[in-house]
Amino acid sequence: MVIIMEPGASQEQIDHVIKRIESAGVKAQPSLGEERTVIGVIGDKTKLGDMPIESMSGVERTMPISAPFKLASRQFRGEPTTVEANGTKIGGKKLIVMAGPCAVENNEQIITIAKEIAKSGATFIRGGAFKPRTGPYNFQGHGEPALRMLAEARRVTGLGIITEVMTPHDVELVGRYTDIFQLGTRNMQNFYLLREVGRSGKPVVLKRGLAATIEEWLLAAEYILAEGNPNVILCERGIRTFETHTRNTLDLNAVPVIKELSHLPIVVDPSHGTGIRSLVSPMSKAAIAAGADGLLLEVHHDPDNSMTGDGVQSLFPAQFDQLMIDLKSIAGAIGREV
Ligand code: PEP
Ligand code: MN
């Protein structure tokens, strides 16, 4: 259920409603809109008994939310959410491009790539310090030293940082360095991790699980939101299907579907979505045309020698630069900017 406050409701009235709801042992989460505040009621509503919510001062009406995800739904918040990280707004008119290698390999690598992508107009540097590898003997990431290298890349270029966190235990450590947590496809339903990044309050890019439905994905986002962290950005990165030509099947349907069901921003990762370098630029353009708020892309200056297998899907810096130029006209055609 959501409680819709009157357009001119005072902070005092809002606080009073929240206090009454929470006194019954149910959580109340406000969302400030341009016009009015709505308060999401989460938990066991039977605890509210016959509390006369609609007659409380400042309340316009209450409305049930039919979707299984509540705070993530359009019914809870009609206008798009924007998330701010490193002084950049994600989900607004300007498209956000996050780019960089699969993994942070060494200082020289990450600084070289960061400078290249910054020159081309990216706003965040990506790169894993903790890598979720399919095999236990594969390179697992350099851990904290890699986080320090990312921080150095940010200092040199001004780019924000997005990097993956894999366990609740590492949230504090990774959070000391990063601007945005990346939750990988394999951890979309790691519910303890979802709750922990929720408690951190920091922006989170939540990748779609490789076999997750859109509803399961939004329910995963709901775990983060329910901890009081509204800064969730969804990321479509391809799903498993019968098709084996590409690494995954990039489900671009998800972009307009998410826009219909949710107010959360969504970015697309065509690098993991296709697994093939030549397909990354065309699918990036398609993602933006479909309404995505940005892209998460792998870029490497020396992909043949990358430490993960993802060199084959990494753009060369010159290809990335060309893509950024091409995106300008697509963005312009749909009323957006790069
Ligand atoms: C990555 O971004 O390098 C990564 C491991 O992505 P995913 O979780 O989508 O496989
Ligand atoms: Mn990768």
Side-chain angles (χ1 to χ4, degrees):
M1 176 177 74
V2 281
I3 302 168
I4 299 162
M5 300 300 290
E6 288 165 355
S10 69
Q11 192 57 48
E12 217 180 346
Q13 290 172 321
I14 295 166
D15 290 345
H16 175 74
V17 173
I18 293 174
K19 211 164 136 202
R20 287 285 304 277
I21 298 293
E22 296 205 324
S23 71
V26 188
K27 225 167 162 182
Q29 204 134 296
S31 167
L32 265 63
E34 293 230 312
E35 238 182 64
R36 61 177 90 228
T37 295
V38 298
I39 301 168
V41 178
I42 18 189
D44 179 6
K45 281 196 307 283
T46 60
K47 287 187 180 162
L48 295 172
D50 48 13
M51 191 186 280
I53 299 170
E54 288 193 323
S55 54
M56 287 181 195
S57 111
V59 173
E60 190 180 275
R61 65 198 157 93
T62 62
M63 190 180 76
I65 296 185
S66 48
F69 41 87
K70 310 290 177 196
L71 302 172
S73 76
R74 272 256 169 225
Q75 288 160 296
F76 174 60
R77 188 176 163 87
E79 59 200 87
T81 283
T82 57
V83 173
E84 200 167 321
N86 194 42
T88 299
K89 242 195 209 170
I90 302 149
K93 187 172 179 187
K94 193 169 155 40
L95 301 169
I96 298 308
V97 180
M98 309 168 182
C102 185
V104 179
E105 298 170 12
N106 56 62
N107 215 41
E108 191 243 323
Q109 175 236 24
I110 199 72
I111 302 284
T112 304
I113 298 171
K115 283 182 178 167
E116 289 280 1
I117 61 158
K119 206 172 60 190
S120 303
T123 31
F124 289 87
I125 176 84
R126 60 147 292 151
F130 297 95
K131 293 302 302 176
R133 302 307 302 279
T134 302
Y137 311 124
N138 295 331
F139 173 56
Q140 308 279 311
H142 288 309
E144 190 172 5
L147 295 173
R148 284 198 290 269
M149 294 177 213
L150 284 166
E152 176 63 7
R154 176 175 52 198
R155 192 189 65 74
V156 172
T157 59
L159 295 170
I161 299 172
I162 170 168
T163 195
E164 180 157 0
V165 62
M166 297 205 308
T167 75
H169 173 255
D170 287 334
V171 167
E172 195 275 325
L173 169 70
V174 177
R176 255 186 271 145
Y177 295 90
T178 199
D179 298 295
I180 304 178
F181 288 118
Q182 177 175 322
L183 261 60
T185 194
R186 295 159 188 81
N187 274 315
M188 189 203 83
Q189 285 187 317
N190 181 338
F191 301 116
Y192 295 101
L193 180 59
L194 294 169
R195 287 200 193 279
E196 195 60 33
V197 294
R199 283 190 283 271
S200 82
K202 258 200 183 213
V204 181
V205 161
L206 178 64
K207 287 192 152 196
R208 181 178 181 181
L210 48 92
T213 64
I214 289 173
E215 185 172 306
E216 287 163 343
W217 188 17
L218 286 168
L219 281 166
E222 188 80 11
Y223 270 84
I224 304 172
L225 300 170
E227 290 299 326
N229 183 353
N231 303 307
V232 179
I233 303 149
L234 300 165
C235 176
E236 164 60 41
R237 51 77 70 202
I239 48 174
R240 283 259 168 105
T241 68
F242 58 82
E243 180 55 69
T244 54
H245 184 81
T246 46
R247 179 175 177 178
N248 291 291
T249 297
L250 187 64
D251 180 16
L252 287 185
N253 288 346
V255 175
V257 170
I258 288 293
K259 292 288 175 193
E260 282 182 14
L261 297 178
S262 180
H263 52 87
L264 296 172
I266 175 167
V267 299
V268 172
D269 172 355
S271 306
H272 294 86
T274 65
I276 301 172
R277 181 179 300 132
S278 63
L279 303 182
V280 171
S281 292
M283 295 313 285
S284 296
K285 294 177 208 169
I288 296 304
D293 297 296
L295 297 166
L296 179 66
L297 291 166
E298 290 192 340
V299 174
H300 202 299
H301 65 306
D302 184 14
D304 290 351
N305 291 306
S306 85
M307 291 175 75
T308 68
D310 288 1
V312 293
Q313 65 190 33
S314 300
L315 293 177
F316 286 99
Q319 292 175 310
F320 177 71
D321 193 60
Q322 185 58 50
L323 172 61
M324 293 297 282
I325 294 167
D326 294 348
L327 288 177
K328 282 194 175 62
S329 43
I330 296 171
I334 55 168
R336 303 193 78 165
E337 290 164 9
V338 186

